[in-house]
Amino acid sequence: MSKPTKSHGRLSIGASLKPRELMSDTPDLAGVWKAKILTLFPEAFPGVLGESLTGKALQQGLWQLETVDLRPFGIGKHKNVDDTPAGGGAGMVLRADVLGDAIEHAMQGTAGNWPLIYLSPRGRRMDQQMMQTFARCDGLTLLCGRFEGVDERVLEHYGIQEVSLGDFVMTGGELAAQALIDATVRLIPGVLGNQASTEEESFSSGLLEHPQYTRPADWKGRAIPDVLMSGHHGKIAEWRQDMSEKITQERRPDLWAAYQARKSKT
């Protein structure tokens, strides 16, 4: 029998390590955004999500986290969750029957706008607009792949959306899932405690964020730009806009082109 993971927070994280008939349900907080994670490594959560502001928000019940262990849904004495690829090839593939049972278990009780997502290098790359969309959902169910991936029929049958952390391959989807949750949860009202922070940071306006400074005023012969010490809010805002545009143009020509295109339409 699998050892249950520890609970974190006030009714905010639950561990679904067994099929429903062998477990008791974890109460939900009504109307609170929730992430459900399908994974072979439930002990990896909450991980860094349990720290700092996201961890505090989890404890306060501003969002919820539930892990569903794929292993108990495995087949046979050894609870196998994977098999060799049809047609041959290296590695192993997560089985459709195993994933189907786990997904249907995880999706019980979900309602409203609740996407089902597979963390995959084939998917659309994560961006701020995507996170803003996810933050407006009622919750997300995230499937973390392992080995060579998952049976394609599962993705087709459940209409699963594939999402990628970037153009590289990882050993599993757990780290990508944590990145997605972190970037989404921080947009939920009350999590950061300062809504202006999310409005002014990188990507919110389609540009990279301007440079930031704090005390001391002079460090190793490098002084804070005079305009930031002037107290002239109009000039400070203008400087920050100019710097955001300059940095974006230099470092992310793709973002700069999209920004210019949007400006030309207004």
Side-chain angles (χ1 to χ4, degrees), residues 33-37 45-46 49 54 63-66 126 131 134 140 142 174-188:
W33 190 93
K34 184 174 187 178
K36 293 191 174 191
I37 316 296
F45 294 87
L49 298 170
T54 53
W63 69 286
Q64 299 177 93
L65 177 65
E66 178 183 337
M126 299 180 195
M131 303 309 155
F134 288 158
L140 301 175
L142 306 176
E174 285 75 17
L175 288 174
Q178 290 195 19
L180 186 153
I181 293 170
D182 182 272
T184 300
V185 164
R186 64 193 305 280
L187 299 176
I188 295 174

Side-chain angles (χ1 to χ4, degrees), residues 16-38:
S16 303
L17 302 184
K18 305 168 188 173
R20 183 166 293 275
E21 65 270 20
L22 299 180
M23 62 170 284
S24 58
D25 292 334
T26 301
D28 288 334
L29 294 173
V32 175
W33 190 93
K34 184 174 187 178
K36 293 191 174 191
I37 316 296
L38 292 155

Side-chain angles (χ1 to χ4, degrees), residues 186-253:
R186 64 193 305 280
L187 299 176
I188 295 174
V191 171
L192 291 188
N194 180 6
Q195 193 61 30
S197 294
T198 61
E199 294 170 357
E200 296 175 359
E201 61 196 7
S202 287
F203 307 114
S204 295
S205 64
L207 298 171
L208 298 180
E209 190 176 21
H210 55 78
Q212 298 280 12
Y213 301 87
T214 187
R215 295 183 179 88
D218 189 289
W219 179 75
K220 295 185 181 295
R222 297 174 179 268
I224 295 175
D226 291 338
V227 64
L228 298 180
M229 308 297 285
S230 68
H232 194 301
H233 297 296
K235 290 183 178 179
I236 291 172
E238 183 179 348
W239 179 88
R240 287 174 170 171
Q241 177 68 20
D242 289 344
M243 291 302 298
S244 288
E245 292 184 359
K246 179 181 179 182
I247 290 172
T248 304
Q249 189 173 11
E250 291 176 350
R251 301 183 185 181
R252 290 291 301 274

